[in-house]
Amino acid sequence: MTKTVFSGCPHDCPDACAFKIRLEEGRVGIEANGRLPWTTFICPKGKRWGRRIFDASRLTTPLLRREGTFIPLSVDDALDLWAERLSQTVREQGPLSVFFYQGAGSLFFSKNLLPHPLAELGGYRTTGGSLCGAAGNAGLEETFGVVPVQSVETFAESTQAVLFWGRNVAETHLHLLPLLQRIRDRGGRLGAVEIRPTATTALADRWWQVHPGSDAFLAAWLCLKLLERGLTRPGWEARVDNGEAFTAFLSDLDETALLARTGLDQRQGGALLDWLLEGGPVTLYGGWGLQRYLHGNECYRWIAALAVLLGAFEEPGGGVFFGKNEMARFPTALLPRPPQLERLPIAAWHRELESLEPRIGQLIVSNGNPLRQAPDTEGLRRAFDSIPFKICLDLTLTETARSCDLVLPVASFLEEGPDWRGSYWHRYLIRSEAALPPPPSVWPETLLFSKLSQRLGLRSDPEAMRETMDDLMLADREIEEVGDGIYAWREPEFWRNPRARAALPESLPEGRHPGGNRLRLVTVHVAAYINSQNWDLPETEALFTLKLAPEELDRRGLADGKKALLTAENGRSLEVTVTSDKNLAPGLALFPQGGPDVNRLTPPLSSPGSGAPFHETFVTVSALKRSGRSGP
């Protein structure tokens, strides 16, 4: 007998695909739910869920650390212990001694409900920003007051030229590719600004290779040339608050010095300017990498300014495409409202532990694996060790779970519901239903927090709130049912709002440079896995392959394909295989993101918006003098 239910991919991915789940004789098949127009197929990462939930590595019982090892215990005993320790911590130290760390392992709406018992206890600390898009979003909000939305429909129907600015969509945003073909079919153009050749630069008609982190300078140079030559779209000044100050700032800049920062010469810069002016409207499609610097917000401020000068407000299909709030339709009445709340920057919270008052007495980690995903692994481990009691809720025994005192297994999205998710790309919402029951002793997170609340004598009931959330979503007059669990939102489009305005930048970043024998380490997204949900990441040699320009190998006396030692400013090292890439610029070291141990090298920095500037990592590469993967 075959059973069919409808759901959606939980991954932190812009595509936000709609699933049709077929259950037959203990097998789970995942197909595309074509009621969502942009879900035309399911990628391997999505289909993997069909066997992932049966994987032998999955947790099926709570675990308690005792004398350096884990022992199993019942869910009731685990919840009793958690409630006892939580009550003691709040009683002795106050509510802000509880730190709730929530990652982006799942983008389902129910994850917003989990902190309610903590709010009822008086409050909590939690993270601010994100490990991915926080700095870019901050820059766009500084410019427009919001992260501007361009609908996928407008993009597909009206955009005539797309400039992918540090965004490798052919690797990490596959459902955009059919739309690009549609744009090409009507005579449209694809371009790219990148630090290296990618699958997307291969797809583009033209591309320009720039120095890492120089995006703000390139956008400023393009703005300057548009103004100098009188090539801006008429009317742009009427839509900005500081047109005169912006123009005055640009007029004082040295255009030769600006362009030199990018690595482009006058001919190359001029070719990019001409490409932008060939015909519009032009969408500047921004990526995650160019905002992973201490000045990532300013990169986006200048790209936004360029979009305004090119006529983003005047013509449908122009503008900046980066992301948006995928939780925008979550019923705000159900958000926790703690009496006390303190946010700590997600990439650097552990640096503040010694100065916090009260100190953190309990850490709760849900839906994330910071000991692999976040910067400064060694510092994080020390922080974990200093916290008296730590709880992790996850599907498998991750690096973070292994460092906790109590581990609670949780149900997957296929085993809980109803639930909802939105997208930071398209305007559709997906309603997800449970396809099969979870294993014994494995409960949904909302139920675990509800049972915790009961033991504490509280009224909060996240499991019941999930049902209320479902009722409110179904009654939401701003969304319309399409069928098979798909709902279309009449989402406002920022660029078509006649009241939308911009405040353009009046400064440029300083920027940090490697200097001496150092290289800038840049880690990049890959198609094989999602960095915020990488518990099935393959442990392969490819994860430790470091790409360098041929001259950088020669300078260090290194041979292509041989082992070397990668050492960061913090003194931590990693044994890698070096490989020559003639397409890379000197001064750059390229590495896959999300692999084991790489974040031993990354510093715990915080950029505007509490972003995580991973690319402010400077390293040396030297011949391997001893065996062993990791250094001191």
Side-chain angles (χ1 to χ4, degrees), residues 230-279:
L231 298 174
T232 58
R233 286 297 299 270
W236 70 269
E237 291 173 291
R239 304 298 294 270
V240 305
D241 298 328
N242 60 335
E244 289 186 8
F246 170 72
T247 302
F249 173 76
L250 276 174
S251 66
D252 288 337
L253 296 177
D254 182 335
E255 67 170 82
T256 301
L258 274 180
L259 197 58
R261 295 289 294 268
T262 71
L264 300 179
D265 59 28
Q266 288 287 337
R267 180 186 58 81
Q268 293 165 326
L272 173 54
L273 181 63
D274 290 342
W275 188 91
L276 288 170
L277 294 168
E278 278 181 35

Side-chain angles (χ1 to χ4, degrees), residues 307-331:
V308 170
L309 297 188
L310 288 172
F313 284 124
E314 282 74 44
E315 208 170 3
V320 179
F321 210 130
F322 178 56
K324 59 181 180 178
N325 179 13
E326 69 278 353
M327 298 284 180
R329 294 314 303 171
F330 179 85

Side-chain angles (χ1 to χ4, degrees), residues 44 72 98 133 157 210 229 255 339 437 455 466 490 503 515 523 526 545:
V98 179
E157 295 164 6
V210 298
R229 298 182 185 181
E255 67 170 82
R455 284 162 168 78
R466 182 180 55 76
R490 295 190 292 274
T523 56
V526 296
T545 299

Side-chain angles (χ1 to χ4, degrees), residues 207-494:
W207 78 281
W208 292 265
Q209 188 168 12
V210 298
H211 291 329
S214 68
D215 310 275
F217 300 96
L218 177 57
W221 184 85
L222 291 166
C223 288
L224 176 59
K225 300 307 289 183
L226 287 171
L227 287 166
E228 275 185 352
R229 298 182 185 181
L231 298 174
T232 58
R233 286 297 299 270
W236 70 269
E237 291 173 291
R239 304 298 294 270
V240 305
D241 298 328
N242 60 335
E244 289 186 8
F246 170 72
T247 302
F249 173 76
L250 276 174
S251 66
D252 288 337
L253 296 177
D254 182 335
E255 67 170 82
T256 301
L258 274 180
L259 197 58
R261 295 289 294 268
T262 71
L264 300 179
D265 59 28
Q266 288 287 337
R267 180 186 58 81
Q268 293 165 326
L272 173 54
L273 181 63
D274 290 342
W275 188 91
L276 288 170
L277 294 168
E278 278 181 35
V282 180
T283 291
L284 306 181
Y285 215 108
W288 316 118
L290 60 92
Q291 51 97 59
R292 293 186 171 218
Y293 300 85
L294 284 167
H295 60 279
N297 64 317
E298 294 180 89
C299 290
Y300 269 92
R301 292 213 68 190
W302 280 100
I303 291 172
L306 177 61
V308 170
L309 297 188
L310 288 172
F313 284 124
E314 282 74 44
E315 208 170 3
V320 179
F321 210 130
F322 178 56
K324 59 181 180 178
N325 179 13
E326 69 278 353
M327 298 284 180
R329 294 314 303 171
F330 179 85
T332 56
L334 295 181
L335 287 172
R337 289 177 171 80
Q340 299 181 69
L341 179 67
E342 183 178 347
R343 294 189 183 275
L344 304 176
I346 192 167
W349 62 268
H350 58 287
R351 294 193 307 176
E352 303 184 18
L353 288 191
E354 295 295 326
S355 62
L356 291 178
E357 185 58 43
R359 301 289 290 274
I360 292 177
Q362 183 168 130
L363 169 66
I364 304 165
V365 180
S366 164
N367 219 28
N369 183 14
L371 282 178
R372 172 170 285 194
Q373 298 158 341
D376 189 30
T377 304
E378 301 297 327
L380 271 173
R381 287 192 185 279
R382 290 192 297 271
F384 268 61
D385 291 343
S386 72
I387 297 173
F389 195 66
K390 303 168 287 293
I391 302 99
C392 183
L393 300 94
D394 213 322
L395 294 161
T396 65
L397 199 60
T398 64
E399 291 90 342
T400 299
R402 289 196 292 270
S403 294
C404 288
D405 303 289
L406 180 64
V407 182
L408 286 164
V410 296
S412 74
F413 74 101
L414 292 170
E415 301 155 339
E416 59 187 4
D419 211 337
W420 293 73
R421 75 152 295 176
S423 167
Y424 51 92
W425 176 46
H426 59 68
R427 65 185 178 93
Y428 290 89
L429 294 111
I430 301 167
R431 184 175 184 268
S432 175
E433 298 176 314
L436 68 168
S441 299
V442 175
W443 295 2
E445 283 185 284
T446 48
L447 182 58
L448 287 168
F449 275 84
S450 288
K451 294 299 184 182
L452 172 69
S453 181
Q454 290 178 12
R455 284 162 168 78
L456 293 167
L458 305 175
R459 298 184 305 275
S460 299
D461 189 348
E463 177 69 1
M465 288 179 179
R466 182 180 55 76
E467 297 287 348
T468 302
M469 177 189 75
D470 186 51
D471 292 339
L472 291 172
M473 291 297 300
L474 291 172
D476 187 343
R477 294 184 178 182
E478 292 297 315
I479 63 176
E480 177 184 0
E481 184 176 4
V482 176
D484 294 342
I486 307 302
Y487 294 76
W489 176 28
R490 295 190 292 274
E491 183 179 26
E493 189 161 3
F494 173 84

